[in-house]
Amino acid sequence: MSHSAAGKEHERVGAVAASTGEPDEPATVTARRAYLRSVAEGQPLTGNELGRMCGRSSSWGRSQIRAAKAELAAADQSATAEQEHAEALAEHPPATRNAEDGNDSPQKAADAAAAAAADPTPTGTADPVRAEQRPGASLSAVIGLAAGVVMSVAANIAHSFLPPAGAPAGWHPPVGAVLAAAWWPVALFLAVEVLTRVRWQSGPWWATARYGGVTIVATVAAIVSYRHMAGLLIAYGEDPISAHIGPLAVDGLMVVAGLALLTIGARPTPKESAPAERR
């Protein structure tokens, strides 16, 4: 190296050292600052120059250069991350992002809608009809319906044993007639049980099917049972008025008990549950 080149290098190192040194600053900090400043000026110091500037060896200078480069890379990475975060905030403001997060899963929305359709009772909302029932209400309704069914079955079977006009001595009804006479009130009881215990789908068609079906069963059972019981009372010698109004007490009991079970077992619709939820 010529004397002029060596002189220029000496001057550059001295200038960098003079511009970066701080009082009582560790040599490592001074060296790294000096190197970073020389890089910014486009004339990075070598390990030999950095070591001489701080009165250390060349290997020490090279280790400080490596450390300064690592700090520079970490700073660049942090700056890049901050820039990306700022760009993301600019593209998606917090309010918009929160709204998107609430609707980011169509599958979750579909699952929630399906669950609401299957179970219209809002979560955490008690059914006011069930909550207001007195203890034993369901048991009373079941006992009332069962008593009406038993009474109706007994009357129907007894009526089937009444001999028709002109029947020979020792006449007995066919087994099929006895079973048919007992079937109508049993069918009504089973229809009410199915209607109250099955979790039905929502919708007008399902409502028409279940209530229409139980209405047909109830109508047939009421007419047949009424005729059988009235005929039985007349055959036993009751007066016509008592014979014709007496069966209404049994049918009325079965209607009231059946409706009570329907009320207790019915699930509230969303419109019925909304006021309770708002409270």
Side-chain angles (χ1 to χ4, degrees):
M1 182 182 293
S2 63
H3 290 289
S4 59
K8 289 181 180 179
E9 179 184 350
H10 234 6
E11 292 175 0
R12 184 168 71 87
V13 173
V16 171
S19 63
T20 57
E22 296 291 342
D24 301 327
E25 188 177 61
T28 55
V29 176
T30 301
R32 294 172 191 178
R33 286 186 177 179
Y35 175 76
L36 294 176
R37 184 178 294 275
S38 67
V39 170
E41 292 174 353
Q43 295 179 330
L45 294 170
T46 64
N48 187 29
E49 294 171 343
L50 195 59
R52 275 207 320 270
M53 184 186 72
C54 296
R56 304 295 179 89
S57 63
S58 299
S59 59
W60 183 89
R62 287 191 295 271
S63 66
Q64 299 309 313
I65 291 176
R66 288 192 296 270
K69 288 181 178 179
E71 292 177 357
L72 182 62
D76 291 341
Q77 185 176 4
S78 177
T80 302
E82 292 179 358
Q83 182 179 0
E84 292 176 353
H85 181 65
E87 292 175 354
L89 287 177
E91 294 178 0
H92 301 281
T96 304
R97 191 170 62 254
N98 290 339
E100 292 176 353
D101 291 342
N103 301 314
D104 63 347
S105 178
Q107 184 61 38
K108 290 182 179 179
D111 292 343
D119 186 3
T121 305
T123 303
T125 302
D127 180 0
V129 175
R130 290 180 179 176
E132 294 173 1
Q133 298 299 329
R134 294 180 179 178
S138 179
L139 179 60
S140 299
V142 171
I143 292 176
L145 181 60
V149 169
V150 170
M151 189 64 187
S152 182
V153 169
N156 288 352
I157 293 177
H159 182 271
S160 67
F161 278 87
L162 293 177
W171 175 88
H172 290 284
V175 175
V178 177
L179 295 178
W183 167 247
W184 314 113
V186 173
L188 176 59
F189 180 82
L190 294 177
V192 172
E193 282 292 299
V194 171
L195 192 61
T196 56
R197 296 185 183 276
V198 173
R199 184 182 235 176
W200 295 84
Q201 296 285 347
S202 60
W205 289 108
W206 285 102
T208 302
R210 64 180 186 265
Y211 290 114
V214 77
T215 300
I216 293 174
V217 175
T219 302
V220 173
I223 293 175
V224 173
S225 297
Y226 175 85
R227 290 176 59 86
H228 286 174
M229 193 173 297
L232 182 65
L233 292 175
I234 291 175
Y236 286 169
E238 289 286 345
D239 61 275
I241 296 180
S242 299
H244 286 88
I245 66 174
L248 295 178
V250 178
D251 291 341
L253 173 62
M254 296 178 65
V255 169
V256 171
L259 292 177
L261 289 176
L262 292 179
T263 300
I264 296 173
R267 302 179 65 81
T269 62
K271 291 183 179 180
E272 293 171 348
S273 301
E277 185 178 19
R278 285 195 297 268
R279 289 196 299 268

